[in-house]
Every structure is written in structure tokens, then in C-alpha cells.
């Protein structure tokens, strides 16, 4: 079992940056892939980025590639999402998730999310 709590969201102007954090609890964090998704009302969850348990493997959606960077610190049980060059269309609730293996696209554990609002 893994519990996830996101933080770091807020209001930022277009072109600005934010760094989200996701603190995990549970003994299995260090063996889980971690990922970031986002969601807007009335829309499905959009995959953004994933990172393997070791940090050696990453994957990004085309919409954020080159602007967002996922990283993790297993000593702190935390995964991060550095977001640069933010656009108004990046406005959403950002949610972290955990998976035994992100390449299987199976995400059984989810956080509650943190709101990111990008003003034009």
C-alpha cells in the first residue's frame, strides 16, 4: 500500500515555473514507478510523466516534453515535477500516482491532487 500527498501547486503567470512534490508513505515506495497526471473538470486524466523505481527510466507526454522534468528522491520518499515555460492550457489539478511498473500503464495508487493555475 502506498499513500500519496501532493504539494506545490498555485497560481503562476504564463512563462513561469512551478515545482510540484509528492510525498509517499508505505514500505513499497522505493520499488514503485511514479507518475504525474493532470485533470480538468469534465475531462479524463492526462498522463504527463513517469519515472522508474531507480530513476533510470523516464517517459513524457508530447505535450510537456522539454518543459517538464520528473525526478525522485528515494531517501525522502518523494517524487517531483519541475514545470517550466508554463502555458494557460497547463491549468489543471495535478495528481501523482504509483505503479509496480509504469510500462504496464497500470496505476493502482493515486493522490488527491494539487491545483495549478496559469494566468495569461
Amino acid at each position: 500500500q502506498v499513500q500519496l500527498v501532493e504539494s506545490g501547486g498555485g497560481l503562476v503567470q504564463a512563462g513561469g515555473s512551478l515545482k510540484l512534490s509528492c510525498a509517499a508513505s508505505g514500505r513499497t515506495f522505493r520499488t514503485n514507478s511514479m507518475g504525474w497526471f493532470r485533470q480538468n473538470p469534465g475531462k479524463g486524466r492526462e498522463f504527463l510523466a513517469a519515472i522508474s523505481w531507480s530513476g533510470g527510466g523516464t517517459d513524457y507526454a508530447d505535450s510537456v516534453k522539454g518543459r517538464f522534468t520528473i525526478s525522485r528522491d528515494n531517501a525522502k520518499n518523494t517524487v517531483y515535477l519541475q514545470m517550466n515555460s508554463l502555458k494557460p492550457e497547463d491549468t489543471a489539478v495535478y495528481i501523482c500516482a504509483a505503479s509496480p511498473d509504469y510500462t504496464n500503464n497500470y496505476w493502482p495508487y493515486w493522490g488527491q491532487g494539487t491545483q495549478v493555475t496559469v494566468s495569461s
Side-chain angles (χ1 to χ4, degrees), residues 1-117:
Q1 192 77 9
V2 179
Q3 292 79 44
L4 305 170
V5 179
E6 302 92 337
S7 62
L11 174 64
V12 64
Q13 288 189 330
S17 298
L18 276 177
K19 187 173 184 177
L20 306 182
S21 300
C22 175
S25 60
R27 292 181 298 173
T28 60
F29 171 79
R30 298 182 183 186
T31 62
N32 272 274
S33 295
M34 299 297 296
W36 284 97
F37 295 73
R38 66 187 178 191
Q39 187 168 22
N40 278 306
K43 296 185 178 180
R45 283 177 180 169
E46 177 189 7
F47 167 78
L48 299 176
I51 188 167
S52 65
W53 69 269
S54 68
T58 57
D59 189 25
Y60 293 92
D62 288 342
S63 60
V64 303
K65 196 173 294 182
R67 298 190 299 126
F68 292 8
T69 302
I70 190 170
S71 62
R72 67 188 295 162
D73 184 338
N74 285 346
K76 296 182 178 179
N77 283 4
T78 302
V79 63
Y80 305 97
L81 186 68
Q82 176 67 47
M83 305 186 296
N84 299 327
S85 302
L86 283 162
K87 307 173 183 179
E89 52 263 44
D90 292 319
T91 295
V93 175
Y94 283 68
I95 308 164
C96 73
S99 167
D101 182 352
Y102 76 84
T103 62
N104 291 329
N105 197 29
Y106 171 60
W107 301 91
Y109 306 112
W110 296 88
Q112 294 298 309
T114 184
Q115 177 71 45
V116 171
T117 303

